[in-house]
Amino acid sequence: MSYEKDFSKTDYSSPSDEPPTRLGAPNDLATYHEHDVFGHEENHQIKYKTLSWQLVAVLMIAEIVSNGMLSLPSSLAVVGIVPGLILIVFLGIFATYTSWLLVKFKLRHPEVHNMGDAGLILFGRFGRELLAFGTVVFAVFATGGQLLAGQIALGALSNNKLCLMLYTGIFAVPTLIFSAPRTLDRLSWLSVPSVISIIVAGIVGMVGAGLHPTPDRTISVTVNTNFYAAFVSITNPVFSYAGHFMFFILVSEMKRPQDAMKAAYVLQGFATTFYAVFAIVIYIYIGDGVLSPAFSSLDSVWMKAAYGVAIPNFLIAGSLYAHTASKLFFVRLFRNSRHLHSHTFTGWFTWVVLILLVNAAAFVLAVGVPIFSYLIGIAASLFASWYTYGIAGAFWLHDSYHDGDGVRTWRRKWFQTTLAMATFAAGAFICVAGTYVTIKAIVEAYNSGAVGRPFSC
């Protein structure tokens, strides 16, 4: 496929305009930067495009390989070690493919900063608002999920001596502070210790499980189960790769966006390997009774050690999610204005207000909604299923249609077309099935009396 572009026929002024009719990607870096969301930044006070692909890889790992891995051993307990391992590896390969599609789409469309901008190109103004809304909702819910992870960690370290809501509040303060930098470059350096912490925490957890295995444990190679139980467990590995909704924002702040796939390869290679090793080791030593999060199944001393080491990762991951939601609003408000690149009162005041609102919303949801953990699952099913898997197929179908000869291009490249359509269908299936099983889980939780009160300890 040719990625040549006739820039004279494309309007890149603002994503609030109608989507371009000619699509492609620039062949040189200078042309790309001329048309991307931040433009040329040589004379600006605030420079966004400062990230190397190595730092983007670190940011991706810090965001994705977080507390999501702690649910994977329990998934193996439901479906068995062999199906679980196959699923983890397959989803890693699948996520790598969809990463490639997202990066190619971004390089063809430099003006795309977030999923909302991509939605404008695919579906018009309605698509922009829907995908932007989903990005913000998922980012806020994911921030709240990290606050709950911090709550669990602090509670484990202190033997739950304080009110759980207080632990969440304590954890919310540094999360707010770390999400405050205007550029991802500042957060990227904070992500280095974050990645180290989750790696070390995983190793500590595996060592603790090996030294204190569960006596008389049962390990299942395969398990016969029903669709509901199986898919509930499958959502854990499915959404452990759910970081694609940030890819456009991350690539937009790279010095060389053409290197974005290097970061994606590092991310998916590391995540898939680490997920598989961690899930298998913990499951083998703990057995079918493993809890989610998995660290809670460890001996008390090792549980505290693992949670303690993992806290920096929970903090930075939450900060990245809050930063993402705030950045989408900020760029939407001040795109092509001096407030985006200059130290103006309006710019900084707006940024601080957005950071406060996003973090406050995450905190209130985390402590005020008793079924919040289930709502995270619904948000992931409705949006992350598309951002990570399904919509990537639509990106390829759209660009191949407009860059080539329409349907004739689809027919000529039938294998890629079939794969893209299958990707879109997979996203739709995960969305519908994930929403169904999560709603059913909420109903069962209410019927069993497992749902607590809002703002309670």
Side-chain angles (χ1 to χ4, degrees):
M1 179 188 300
S2 173
Y3 298 137
E4 303 257 353
K5 182 178 181 70
D6 182 359
F7 287 104
S8 65
K9 298 181 181 179
T10 304
D11 178 13
Y12 284 96
S13 59
S14 168
S16 62
D17 299 328
E18 291 300 318
T21 57
R22 287 279 295 173
L23 305 171
N27 291 323
D28 62 275
L29 193 60
T31 306
Y32 178 95
H33 287 308
E34 181 181 349
H35 296 278
D36 81 347
V37 59
F38 297 117
H40 293 292
E41 297 186 312
E42 291 81 359
N43 300 317
H44 291 308
Q45 293 176 327
I46 300 175
K47 295 178 174 60
Y48 293 91
K49 295 184 290 189
T50 57
L51 293 173
S52 65
W53 72 264
Q54 292 91 342
L55 287 178
V56 170
V58 170
L59 281 163
M60 289 177 172
I61 293 172
E63 177 250 332
I64 292 178
V65 187
S66 186
N67 64 340
M69 75 173 191
L70 300 181
S71 61
L72 296 179
S74 63
S75 296
L76 268 60
V78 175
V79 299
I81 193 169
V82 172
L85 178 60
I86 292 173
L87 186 63
I88 290 172
V89 174
F90 169 76
L91 289 173
I93 296 171
F94 192 12
T96 304
Y97 168 66
T98 56
S99 298
W100 180 77
L101 294 177
L102 263 65
V103 170
K104 289 296 182 183
F105 186 81
K106 168 62 177 173
L107 295 179
R108 288 190 183 99
H109 305 278
E111 77 278 16
V112 169
H113 173 257
N114 54 67
M115 282 289 178
D117 294 344
L120 176 68
I121 293 173
L122 291 182
F123 310 115
R125 294 172 185 264
F126 174 78
R128 177 186 63 181
E129 303 304 335
L130 178 62
L131 296 190
F133 171 78
T135 299
V136 172
V137 168
F138 185 69
V140 171
F141 276 54
T143 304
Q146 295 297 333
L147 295 182
L148 290 182
Q151 174 201 92
I152 294 172
L154 293 177
L157 291 171
S158 62
N159 296 318
N160 292 313
K161 291 181 179 179
L162 301 177
C163 173
L164 293 180
M165 187 171 64
L166 183 58
Y167 288 129
T168 311
I170 293 172
F171 203 79
V173 174
T175 300
L176 168 67
I177 294 172
F178 290 145
S179 63
R182 282 263 291 269
T183 63
L184 283 168
D185 178 62
R186 303 292 179 88
L187 276 171
S188 67
W189 292 106
L190 291 173
S191 295
V192 174
S194 169
V195 171
I196 295 173
S197 76
I198 198 63
I199 293 173
V200 175
I203 294 173
V204 169
M206 289 185 284
V207 171
L211 292 177
H212 299 277
T214 300
D216 302 322
R217 61 192 176 279
T218 302
I219 299 172
S220 303
V221 177
T222 60
V223 176
N224 291 323
T225 185
N226 57 49
F227 172 82
Y228 169 69
F231 202 87
V232 167
S233 68
I234 287 173
T235 56
N236 293 330
V238 165
F239 297 127
S240 293
Y241 292 98
H244 288 48
F245 78 106
M246 287 182 62
F247 275 21
F248 291 145
I249 292 176
L250 289 169
V251 177
S252 294
E253 299 195 26
M254 290 184 68
K255 290 182 288 188
R256 281 188 50 82
Q258 290 82 352
D259 293 334
M261 270 314 296
K262 296 179 182 178
Y265 287 137
V266 172
L267 163 68
Q268 304 300 353
F270 173 80
T272 303
T273 303
F274 194 64
Y275 285 166
V277 172
F278 179 82
I280 291 173
V281 171
I282 294 294
Y283 177 64
I284 286 176
Y285 286 110
I286 302 299
D288 289 337
V290 63
L291 302 175
S292 178
F295 287 161
S296 297
S297 298
L298 301 175
D299 176 76
S300 177
V301 173
W302 288 94
M303 175 186 67
K304 292 180 179 180
Y307 275 129
V309 174
I311 282 178
N313 178 263
F314 298 160
L315 279 174
I316 300 304
S319 299
L320 280 169
Y321 290 129
H323 180 99
T324 297
S326 302
K327 182 66 70 65
L328 186 150
F329 278 119
F330 190 77
V331 171
R332 179 78 173 269
L333 288 171
F334 296 124
R335 193 165 186 153
N336 299 325
S337 79
R338 65 189 182 92
H339 303 297
L340 187 66
H341 285 101
S342 301
H343 293 293
T344 64
F345 173 80
T346 300
W348 275 108
F349 177 78
T350 304
W351 177 253
V352 171
V353 169
L354 288 172
I355 288 292
L356 288 172
L357 288 176
V358 168
N359 281 277
F363 172 76
V364 171
L365 287 169
V367 301
V369 180
I371 60 170
F372 180 67
S373 59
Y374 296 101
L375 295 184
I376 296 175
I378 291 180
S381 298
L382 291 176
F383 300 114
S385 59
W386 290 108
Y387 298 155
T388 305
Y389 303 106
I391 203 169
F395 290 157
W396 189 90
L397 292 170
H398 182 274
D399 278 355
S400 63
Y401 182 92
H402 288 278
D403 288 349
D405 301 320
V407 175
R408 284 191 291 270
T409 300
W410 290 355
R411 291 172 179 169
R412 186 171 66 254
K413 301 188 176 184
W414 62 268
F415 178 77
Q416 289 174 283
T417 301
T418 302
L419 192 57
M421 289 181 174
T423 298
F424 190 85
F429 173 74
I430 295 170
C431 174
V432 174
T435 303
Y436 163 74
V437 299
T438 305
I439 292 175
K440 184 175 180 179
I442 293 174
V443 173
E444 291 183 351
Y446 271 109
N447 291 338
S448 65
V451 178
R453 294 182 176 182
F455 301 103
S456 64
C457 291

